Amino acid sequence: MKKLLYSFLLLSSATLFAQQKNPAVKFAVADNAIGTVELFNTKKNVLQVSKVYSTSASLPQSLKKYSSVFTKGVTEYKFKNGENVLDRMALSNMNTQYNIPADHPVFIEGYEFTDTNTMIYPEIKKRTETKDYNGKKTLFIYTTE
């Protein structure tokens, strides 16, 4: 019995350690469009951190609509010259590219975006899938391979 318990504890701790080595994707916002911290860190020459919000309760009114996604807070970036030099796209246009009706929700890293007017930076897209979700063809976007 002790061997079984020790084996379980060892397996559990290894699983927890593995999860800590692969942190969840962190979303970020610039110019009212969603990206990732990873993407924005690669664009440091044109972006700078404006403000870090540590909880969804501390989000400003302009970001409250994303409070279900930014449950652990979010980093807001600003363009250094005030000009957005990155391509942006509405989720409705993404749907259209994949022959999905524009008004169908889109999932990004498991978070559902029902407002397809939401703007994103398409560079965050590493992999996509179309799946049936609640009887509708739905786009799933993943920011990691």
Side-chain angles (χ1 to χ4, degrees), residues 30-31 33 79 82-88 121:
D31 197 25
F79 288 89
E83 286 185 34
N84 184 347
V85 295
L86 299 173
D87 291 332
R88 299 167 9 136
Y121 292 99

Side-chain angles (χ1 to χ4, degrees), residues 4-21:
L4 183 63
L5 181 60
Y6 288 131
S7 297
F8 176 74
L9 289 174
L10 182 63
L11 181 62
S12 298
S13 63
T15 303
L16 285 173
F17 179 73
Q19 288 176 350
Q20 290 173 349
K21 295 289 271 182

